[in-house]
Each structure stands twice: as structure tokens, then as C-alpha cells.
Amino acid sequence: MPDWNEEIRRQLADLRLAPAREAEIVEELAQHAEDRYRELLSGGATEAEARRIALEEGGGHELLARELRAVERTDAPEPVVLGAGRKGSLLTGLGQDLRYGFRTLRKNPGFTAIAMLALALGIGANTAIFSVVNGVLLRPLEYPEPDRLLKIWETTAEFHQASVAYPNFLDWRRESRSFTDMGAYRGDDFNFTGAGEPEQVPGE
Amino acid sequence: MEERSIDREWKKGSAELLLLSLVEALPRHGYEISKLIEQRSQGALRFHAASLYPLLYRLEKRGWIQGRWVEKSGQRRRRYYRLTPLGRKTLASQRQGWRTFVEAIGRITGVEHA
């Protein structure tokens, strides 16, 4: 069977059509040539004769290119844009796009698997990062008016930020008029014993 | 009547009318259209691919016909062309124009038409 596609594509090369448009025309003309070729064979022509006649009737390079140039140069057809149905509602176009997408994915299982893996990793990484950002930066402290909370230190000759002695804390809380209230905490380690080996646990 | 006896320009002038007429009743693909032209004209008219398909594309661009790929079981897909509502109006107008023209020629030349 002659390769009609290659022959016709060669005839159309000078027209510089959009690839999708060229493929469509090549397919249609190649099918016509094949139909004619089969008809000639069934009529008793040899394969060489049938091929020659089918190609001659196709018009050859110059005639076909001239005729097509006159039609195609006026205004190239708009490419089909996914989601931009020519008629009908938005949902009609969306449905077509989804069906097209699923068909394409089904035909390329390898690509589909890699794409899904990439998506899963991307979504997982984003979720993890957001969890950290939300906990550290976004989620407010569980107190009323958390933006008005302050942490205060005692400054000594040795330390710029030193823990506050408890008597000082009591004085500050009693005498301060700048704060509504004050609280204090102290970090320490505790020895947890019972059954088995004792364990040291941090506490506040 | 031999194909070469029909003037090329006459053929060009009537080509649109022929194609529109053939897809009026039902959608047809290009090869079917070319065979019907040859058969119904008893070999007097033949449209080869190089002139048939550019003309089909031209009519499609004008919105007179619309092509659509159709897949049938066990066959390669084919592009079928059907008449659009605009094409139907154009066909009616062209038919009337052609009839008027042929009658006028007949009255002048004495050639009777069918």
C-alpha cells in the first residue's frame, strides 16, 4: 500500500498550514487517494498503474497547492481552544474538556502515573509546609487579645534577658500600672519514677 | 457527452450548485460526492481531489456546509459534509438562478432543457 500521507504532506509543504489543519487535510486527501487506488485495483489495474493514476488525479503538487492556497490563505481556521465551546453553555464545554482529558490520560498510563505522583508529592509537601506556617505564624495564641501580650525580662549586669526573681515579679505585679495583669512561669526538669527506669521530663 | 466537451468555466460555475445539491438530503464524504457526480452525469463531469476538496473547504468556510469526522465500526474515520441552514437557503437561491439562466439560454439558442 503506497504511503499517501507522505506524498500529500510533501505536496502541501509550501503552504505552511497550521499543523492541525494540515494533518486534517492530509488525512482526508490520503483517504480519497486510497479509495481511488482500491477502486482501480478492483477494476483490473496493476498496483503501479493504480498508484500513478490516483496521484495524477490528486492534481499533483502545483494544482493542489494552488487551489488550497486560495482557500486557506483567506483566514486560517481558529484553533480549537479547550473550554471554549463554539455553542452551548459553559458546562457543555467543560464536560467535553473533561471527557477529552480522561480519554487522553487513559491512553497514556505511564504519563498519568507520573503526573499523579508529582501531584501527590506537591500536595503533600504544601500541606506539611502550611501546617508548620499555620502553627507558628498564623494560628493565634489561645488568649484574649493575643496581640497585646508581652513577655518581660529582668536585665542584670551579666545578662541582657535574665529570669525574673519571684519577689521582683510580685513587686512588678503589685506596683505596675502599665499592665492589666501579669503571670509567671518557670521551666524545670522533673524526675519521673515508678515502674522501670526513672526518666527526666521537662516541665514549666 | 465527453468530459472535455464541457467547458472548464461552465464546470466551475456550476460546481457549488452540484456539491450543495449532493449533500442536501444526507451527509456525504468527499469520495462519495466525487463518485456521485461522475455517475449521475454519466461520466460527463468528474471532480478530482485537487479541485473537489478545496471547493468543499471553501463552502465550509462560507458556512454553507459543515464537515464532521465520523467513525464507523471496522472503518477508518471519514469526514462527512452536511448542508447548513445557510447552505439550504443558498442552494434554493442558486437553483432558481440556474433555472432562470438555462431558460434564458434556451430561449435564445433554441436548445430545450429537461
Side-chain angles (χ1 to χ4, degrees):
Chain A
M1 183 68 65
D3 185 356
W4 306 110
N5 284 13
E6 189 58 37
E7 178 67 31
I8 293 165
R9 194 171 287 116
R10 196 174 56 77
Q11 293 180 10
L12 301 181
D14 292 343
L15 293 179
R16 301 182 186 283
L17 300 170
R21 179 62 178 153
E22 182 184 282
E24 196 168 51
I25 294 174
V26 166
E27 182 177 353
E28 193 169 23
L29 292 176
Q31 190 155 38
H32 186 106
E34 188 178 319
D35 286 341
R36 181 65 176 142
Y37 175 78
R38 288 179 186 278
E39 183 191 342
L40 289 164
L41 286 182
S42 65
T46 65
E47 289 188 0
E49 284 173 341
R51 182 179 186 282
R52 180 181 56 77
I53 293 171
L55 284 176
E56 280 178 3
E57 290 182 353
H61 173 76
E62 288 185 9
L63 178 60
L64 180 62
R66 189 177 65 235
E67 295 284 338
L68 278 176
R69 184 176 288 114
V71 178
E72 299 293 327
R73 75 181 174 189
T74 49
D75 52 339
E78 292 291 323
V80 176
V81 179
L82 291 178
R86 280 174 292 185
K87 287 181 180 175
S89 68
L90 177 67
L91 288 179
T92 306
L94 183 65
Q96 289 172 347
D97 293 347
L98 286 174
R99 282 195 296 277
Y100 174 75
F102 280 123
R103 277 206 308 275
T104 307
L105 290 175
R106 205 166 51 222
K107 285 180 182 174
N108 302 285
F111 169 79
T112 304
I114 292 171
M116 288 179 70
L117 184 63
L119 280 172
L121 288 173
I123 292 169
N126 270 294
T127 305
I129 291 170
F130 177 76
S131 299
V132 173
V133 170
N134 185 45
V136 174
L137 301 176
L138 301 179
R139 193 171 60 195
L141 295 170
E142 294 174 355
Y143 303 103
E145 302 182 86
D147 55 322
R148 299 184 68 194
L149 279 176
L150 288 176
K151 189 172 186 177
I152 51 180
W153 306 86
E154 189 171 310
T155 301
T156 65
E158 292 84 12
F159 302 105
H160 180 60
Q161 290 183 337
S163 298
V164 182
Y166 187 64
N168 287 344
F169 163 70
L170 294 176
D171 291 344
W172 288 0
R173 189 166 67 174
R174 188 177 62 252
E175 296 177 8
S176 169
R177 290 192 296 275
S178 302
F179 295 94
T180 307
D181 200 358
M182 286 188 193
Y185 74 92
R186 179 186 171 202
D188 207 345
D189 293 330
F190 299 92
N191 295 322
F192 188 69
T193 60
E197 289 289 315
E199 191 174 346
Q200 195 171 62
V201 291
E204 286 186 349
Chain B
M1 193 188 312
E2 293 295 321
E3 180 188 0
R4 58 180 170 273
S5 69
I6 296 181
D7 189 274
R8 180 181 170 81
E9 293 306 314
W10 290 20
K11 191 168 136 184
K12 280 175 69 176
S14 59
E16 291 178 2
L17 176 61
L18 295 177
L19 264 57
L20 292 176
S21 300
L22 287 172
V23 296
E24 181 185 18
L26 70 164
R28 299 183 192 279
H29 57 77
Y31 190 72
E32 185 182 9
I33 291 171
S34 74
K35 297 310 294 179
L36 280 172
I37 290 174
E38 186 179 347
Q39 286 165 9
R40 292 186 183 179
S41 69
Q42 297 178 335
L45 293 173
R46 292 186 71 188
F47 279 76
H48 294 318
S51 50
L52 173 66
Y53 287 93
L55 183 55
L56 284 170
Y57 301 154
R58 192 189 305 276
L59 298 186
E60 190 174 24
K61 277 199 166 182
R62 290 178 187 162
W64 296 356
I65 61 175
Q66 187 179 38
R68 192 168 70 93
W69 289 101
V70 175
E71 294 180 33
K72 292 185 180 174
S73 164
Q75 295 180 17
R76 287 173 59 175
R77 67 173 192 161
R78 290 179 180 276
R79 193 163 168 80
Y80 281 78
Y81 294 91
R82 67 172 181 80
L83 202 60
T84 64
L86 179 60
R88 200 168 295 281
K89 287 181 189 172
T90 305
L91 175 60
S93 170
Q94 288 203 2
R95 271 200 179 118
Q96 182 56 45
W98 190 257
R99 191 175 293 119
T100 305
F101 174 73
V102 170
E103 285 172 358
I105 295 295
R107 283 194 296 272
I108 295 169
T109 63
V111 177
E112 292 187 4
H113 61 84

